[in-house]
Amino acid sequence: MKTVTKALLLASALFLGGCATSSNHANDPFEGFNRTMFDFNDTVDRVALKPAATAYQEVLPSFAQTAIGNFFGNLGDIWTMVNNFLQGNVENGLSDGMRVAFNSTIGFGGLLDIASEAGITKHKEDFGQTLGVWGVESGPYVVLPFFGPSTVRDTVALPVDIYGDVWTYSTPVDMRNTGILVRTIDMRASLLNATNLLEDAALDRYTFVRGTYLQRRESLIHNGEEPAAKPQADKAVSPQSDAAPILLPITDAVVGVDEAAVEPQLPETVENLANESVVLM
């Protein structure tokens, strides 16, 4: 897994070095390469991820799906806690630690989300956000193969996020790889309804995803508050249309009125990538 990740990042860097093309968006000088990767990720999703997620949702009982999501969410809270401390958010870091302690013990290893039931807020932090809090600029927008939308800053942070994921160190290797696959499919299944409703949208999905991703990342870095100097917004206008989609309040799922597309962080992931990386369209 680590070798594959390094190879993907290296290949992306090499492509980016020679694929700068003219773009109407200041933060997207690699639009030609990015659109190619966007189409590639879309194909992977249609051929493999979405069918697997649909079967997963139809076959596995809902309580089992919830338990799986809770388990990996609990593991993700550990890295979120570390990043909150690195960002100087001691209060949130302590809250994350309480979540892990509650869910790992009373919640039967994280299968139950007891912490949320007790009113302990769940956060979502990664090293890309930490770099942003430290003042590192996002750099150009980048679409990575398999990992989806990103920026140069988030791409640099991605290996750190991977090594910060405690599941990366689980053994044996077969169990670790199975867990990665299950977690990826579970993430995709949780977003099936949103993407199915809007998958036939007419506007250019690429520009929509770009605008929404950059807006969401900026919001996460500033904890939902307006930055002192607001960056130029991505109007997300389709080359075939002068109309721009209306962006709804940013959530873990990227959803718009006229169009929908969801891609992680990782990893979502995606977002969220998110702690986990997964291509969602």
Side-chain angles (χ1 to χ4, degrees):
M1 177 63 183
K2 297 177 183 177
T3 302
V4 173
T5 300
K6 292 177 182 177
L8 288 173
L9 294 176
L10 177 60
S12 298
L14 292 175
F15 273 112
L16 288 172
C19 292
T21 59
S22 59
S23 171
N24 293 327
H25 190 267
N27 290 336
D28 191 6
F30 311 119
E31 185 171 347
F33 167 82
N34 287 338
R35 284 185 178 273
T36 299
M37 289 300 99
F38 184 89
D39 291 340
F40 169 78
N41 290 339
D42 186 35
T43 300
V44 171
D45 182 69
R46 287 186 289 102
V47 171
L49 272 179
K50 187 175 180 180
T54 300
Y56 172 89
Q57 190 178 68
E58 292 176 349
V59 173
L60 203 65
S62 59
F63 71 86
Q65 296 179 44
T66 300
I68 291 172
N70 288 341
F71 175 77
F72 287 109
N74 184 53
L75 296 182
D77 285 342
I78 299 174
W79 186 232
T80 289
M81 174 185 66
V82 172
N83 278 285
N84 265 321
F85 283 134
L86 290 175
Q87 295 170 24
N89 295 328
V90 177
E91 182 178 350
N92 286 351
L94 292 174
S95 174
D96 298 328
M98 291 179 61
R99 284 188 58 85
V100 174
F102 272 60
N103 290 337
S104 298
T105 54
I106 307 174
F108 299 100
L111 296 178
L112 301 178
D113 188 0
I114 301 298
S116 292
E117 295 294 330
I120 304 177
T121 303
K122 184 177 181 66
H123 306 111
K124 199 74 168 179
E125 303 291 335
D126 54 53
F127 194 64
Q129 291 170 244
T130 297
L131 291 179
V133 172
W134 289 352
V136 178
E137 296 295 330
S138 67
Y141 177 70
V142 180
V143 179
L144 301 176
F146 300 108
F147 289 91
S150 184
T151 61
V152 169
R153 179 189 62 210
D154 291 344
T155 299
V156 171
L158 181 57
V160 181
D161 285 326
I162 292 174
Y163 283 104
D165 179 9
V166 297
W167 187 257
T168 302
Y169 305 98
S170 60
T171 54
V173 175
D174 288 346
M175 182 183 74
R176 179 171 69 235
N177 291 339
T178 299
I180 291 172
L181 178 62
V182 171
R183 176 167 59 179
T184 299
I185 295 175
D186 179 74
M187 290 176 60
R188 184 62 179 96
S190 69
L191 296 166
L192 278 174
N193 292 336
T195 55
N196 285 340
L197 285 173
L198 301 171
E199 64 181 0
D200 295 327
L203 293 179
D204 180 20
R205 289 191 299 162
Y206 172 82
T207 53
F208 177 83
V209 172
R210 179 182 64 192
T212 308
Y213 176 82
L214 293 175
Q215 179 184 339
R216 178 173 183 268
R217 291 298 289 175
E218 193 69 23
S219 176
L220 288 173
I221 290 170
H222 295 280
N223 294 321
E225 299 178 0
E226 287 291 330
K230 188 174 181 180
Q232 183 177 355
D234 184 351
K235 296 181 181 180
V237 178
S238 164
Q240 292 79 29
S241 173
D242 293 329
I246 300 174
L247 301 187
L248 298 181
I250 301 303
T251 62
D252 283 337
V254 182
V255 180
V257 172
D258 294 314
E259 185 171 343
V262 183
E263 292 185 346
Q265 167 164 59
L266 135 298
E268 252 227 220
T269 120
V270 246
E271 22 220 230
N272 210 278
L273 50 3
N275 291 336
E276 297 79 19
S277 300
V278 56
V279 177
L280 303 177
M281 299 301 300

